Amino acid sequence: GAVVSQHPSWVICKSGTSVKIECRSLDFQATTMFWYRQFPKQSLMLMATSNEGSKATYEQGVEKDKFLINHASLTLSTLTVTSAHPEDSSFYICSAVRDRGWNTEAFFGQGTRLTVV
Amino acid sequence: RKEVEQDPGPFNVPEGATVAFNCTYSNSASQSFFWYRQDCRKEPKLLMSVYSSGNEDGRFTAQLNRASQYISLLIRDSKLSDSATYLCVVNAAGNKLTFGGGTRVLVKP
């Protein structure tokens, strides 16, 4: 079963509204989660690193005031796309890394397909 | 130069044939390497980790060449269900994964 759950799986919203996406690690604690964005026929691009209890770290070119990240607990990170515009339409995926010392594996949420109309 | 580069393909492969493709990475300090599989409009899923000594999992074989900074994936006896995009993923530090652009594989009857 899924170890990282992302919700919603798809959302359609009007231009100018805000959308919140949740990412939960189900059976392990994740002090760090990652948010990616994927445009059609392109690779996953890291947007930001979400750190539990502290501010997120954003990649160059990603507006922190537009993509609000909150990582309030060890199992939940949220990404809020504020004042969404059609160009924000994309596939957003979160990831959490389970590091067991001898093995590190990244698990992905199911992704959220955002369409802004 | 991109941190992780892959041939985008598509690789058109007859069912039952063998296909192999590489991925190059630029950061010599990269610590761990993975192949992920992504089906259309789905999230990536781990196919296999890549170890220094090379490793095999059924029909899939992964190799790592640190000197030349590339990893490879070989698929034997290709099945129709192997059609997907294969993502090369490199972990340089801090568990921040960097993805290649993906190699698309199409297995045809």
Side-chain angles (χ1 to χ4, degrees):
Chain A
V3 295
V4 174
S5 175
Q6 187 173 340
H7 177 82
S9 56
W10 62 269
V11 60
I12 301 173
C13 71
K14 289 185 177 179
S15 188
T17 61
S18 294
V19 174
K20 180 187 281 188
I21 304 170
E22 292 188 348
C23 181
R24 294 179 185 274
S25 57
L26 298 182
D27 60 0
F28 66 100
Q29 294 181 333
T31 55
T32 305
M33 291 187 181
F34 303 92
W35 287 95
Y36 295 85
R37 179 168 53 184
Q38 186 175 35
F39 291 106
K41 298 188 178 181
Q42 294 186 25
S43 184
L44 286 158
M45 295 299 296
L46 179 66
M47 298 175 65
T49 302
S50 171
N51 305 297
E52 188 270 333
S54 64
K55 292 183 179 180
T57 305
Y58 291 81
E59 296 301 301
Q60 192 172 11
V62 179
E63 299 175 58
K64 62 180 182 180
D65 294 329
K66 181 169 183 63
F67 299 99
L68 300 179
I69 291 174
N70 184 283
H71 195 153
S73 77
L74 288 171
T75 59
L76 174 64
S77 174
T78 61
L79 168 69
T80 302
V81 183
T82 62
S83 186
H85 290 286
E87 58 265 30
D88 298 323
S89 299
S90 187
F91 190 47
Y92 293 85
I93 304 180
C94 69
S95 169
V97 176
R98 184 171 66 187
D99 188 347
R100 294 188 280 195
W102 52 270
N103 172 264
T104 299
E105 185 175 348
F107 296 92
F108 291 86
Q110 300 92 326
T112 298
R113 192 159 300 281
L114 171 64
T115 302
V116 184
V117 297
Chain B
R1 183 186 171 188
K2 292 182 180 177
E3 288 186 57
V4 180
E5 291 200 74
Q6 293 182 250
D7 182 337
F11 284 67
N12 294 300
V13 185
E15 191 175 9
T18 296
V19 61
F21 41 89
N22 293 340
C23 161
T24 58
Y25 60 94
S26 61
N27 187 345
S28 60
S30 298
Q31 299 172 348
S32 48
F33 309 87
F34 310 89
W35 283 106
Y36 276 75
R37 170 191 170 132
Q38 187 175 25
D39 292 294
C40 188
R41 304 173 80 87
K42 298 282 189 181
E43 78 277 18
K45 295 192 175 178
L46 180 66
L47 179 65
M48 58 197 303
S49 302
V50 186
Y51 302 119
S52 297
S53 55
N55 47 299
E56 189 175 304
D57 183 359
R59 298 181 293 107
F60 298 85
T61 302
Q63 297 276 354
L64 166 63
N65 186 316
R66 283 194 183 273
S68 300
Q69 294 184 202
Y70 75 86
I71 66 173
S72 64
L73 181 67
L74 182 146
I75 307 173
R76 282 185 303 277
D77 188 23
S78 298
K79 312 290 184 190
L80 297 176
S81 57
D82 293 333
S83 296
T85 297
Y86 291 86
L87 300 172
C88 169
V89 182
V90 176
N91 185 354
N95 289 325
K96 187 184 290 188
L97 304 179
T98 302
F99 287 80
T103 296
R104 194 165 168 228
V105 173
L106 295 173
V107 181
K108 300 187 176 180

